[in-house]
Amino acid sequence: MINKCLFPAAGYGTRFLPATKAVPKEMLPILTKPLLQYGVEEALSAGIHNMAIVTGRGKRSIEDHFDKSYELESQLIGTNKEHYLEEINNLVDQASFTYIRQKQMLGLGHAILSGQPLVNNEPFAVVLADDLCHNNGDNVLTQMIKVFNEYQCSIVAIQEVPMKDINRYGVIKGHLVNNSKDIYHVDSMIEKPAEEEAPSNLAIIGRYILTPEIFDILKELKPGSSGEIQITDALLVQALKGRVIAYKFKGKRFDCGSIDGYVSATNYFAKKAGIKI
Ligand code: G1P
């Protein structure tokens, strides 16, 4: 069972300055919903009700967003805008939210390690909210949980990306599991390789299921790419023991950490909502 989902949400969002000077990048909206809310809804529909959020300074609006707002309620109740409350409260009522602050920005691996007190000693999901995923049918996390249930080891979601973009990702080298077109045993992995070093075009996207041994590995890890503690390097230690599966998920993914991905996601969701632009 995967009961908890960790959301690293402490980054500065420099690519979106000045918007992210006072607004956390996870709170930037696609249409009317903040990116982080899409992630929380994905976790909920995958059956996970405990959201563990790693925040940092200047991120208090995240806590306020996933809480009751009695002032808003008293303003809207009894008006023709009351229906807005329903969606907000439904979400807040269905999930529990716990928070911890990452005190220093030492990379994604460090952010995940900072979340250890919130997830304890059990396998957990990780969602990077700026990778916005959408598809009809089972969502990405649900698909990954099915893979986890079969293999009981750490799982990374992957997709094929153009080689010119490969240096933006963790990249795997793997071999297909028998009789499968989308499940790989990971032999090796590398964070943000140059194009000529990349072992494949199979890039890790921001969805993981991690077994709790990852924390001991992260504690021992030296800084890697960009001088940061990288989750890819920790997973490599597990992969070398044959304990990591990569899963080519079904669905769309938008890199909302980049401006072009953010605009594409906005256009995609607007079209889906029937908004004429
Ligand atoms: C992080 C991970 C990287 C992964 C990517 C997916 O990088 O370190 O391995 O491929 O997320 O979005 P970041 O986007 O934080 O630079």
Side-chain angles (χ1 to χ4, degrees), residues 62-217:
I62 294 180
E63 295 180 40
D64 290 338
H65 183 74
F66 295 110
D67 196 358
K68 296 264 187 212
S69 170
Y70 290 109
E71 194 178 329
L72 195 61
E73 283 190 29
S74 69
Q75 290 291 325
L76 298 188
I77 281 175
T79 73
N80 58 1
K81 294 180 182 157
E82 197 172 326
H83 62 277
Y84 286 117
L85 286 174
E86 209 169 294
E87 188 185 337
I88 304 171
N89 285 341
N90 262 344
L91 185 78
V92 172
D93 290 342
Q94 281 183 72
S96 78
F97 295 87
T98 51
Y99 299 89
I100 199 160
R101 281 194 180 195
Q102 185 185 8
K103 293 180 199 128
Q104 285 173 287
M105 300 297 154
L106 298 179
L108 178 58
H110 181 262
I112 292 173
L113 181 57
S114 304
Q116 182 179 20
L118 304 181
V119 296
N120 300 325
N121 200 26
E122 52 183 280
F124 59 100
V126 176
V127 167
L128 308 185
D130 52 15
D131 273 339
L132 180 53
C133 294
H134 181 263
N135 59 309
N136 300 317
D138 282 352
N139 70 32
V140 183
L141 267 191
T142 308
Q143 294 170 39
M144 292 176 77
I145 289 171
K146 285 185 179 161
V147 178
F148 173 79
N149 287 342
E150 191 174 343
Y151 292 92
Q152 301 286 327
C153 66
S154 290
I155 316 284
V156 295
I158 50 167
Q159 72 173 177
E160 293 186 31
V161 302
M163 286 307 279
K164 68 173 177 40
D165 296 333
I166 203 79
N167 63 358
R168 290 163 40 177
Y169 298 93
V171 182
I172 69 135
K173 176 174 184 283
H175 58 276
L176 277 168
V177 168
N178 288 348
N179 304 325
S180 171
K181 288 197 214 71
D182 46 21
I183 296 179
Y184 295 77
H185 268 295
V186 177
D187 301 316
S188 180
M189 56 213 298
I190 175 168
E191 178 69 10
K192 302 200 172 80
E195 193 175 333
E196 54 284 2
E197 284 179 299
S200 73
N201 66 342
L202 298 172
I204 301 169
I205 64 119
R207 298 290 180 282
Y208 306 80
I209 301 217
L210 300 175
T211 53
E213 299 76 48
I214 203 80
F215 292 125
D216 287 337
I217 300 172

Side-chain angles (χ1 to χ4, degrees), residues 16 28-31 33 35 38 129-134 252-273 277:
F16 281 86
L28 294 178
I30 298 293
L31 305 189
K33 267 194 280 189
L35 280 169
Y38 285 90
D130 52 15
D131 273 339
L132 180 53
C133 294
H134 181 263
K252 278 191 170 301
R253 169 249 176 194
F254 298 95
D255 173 14
C256 293
S258 72
I259 296 178
D260 55 334
Y262 185 83
V263 173
S264 305
T266 303
N267 288 337
Y268 174 83
F269 282 92
K271 204 168 166 195
K272 219 167 77 58
I277 37 176

Side-chain angles (χ1 to χ4, degrees), residues 228-249:
E228 297 183 333
I229 308 286
Q230 297 293 351
I231 191 63
T232 306
D233 295 342
L235 281 162
L236 173 62
V237 175
Q238 288 193 315
L240 294 175
K241 296 180 188 149
R243 302 285 296 144
V244 180
I245 290 284
Y247 169 63
K248 206 194 273 178
F249 69 97

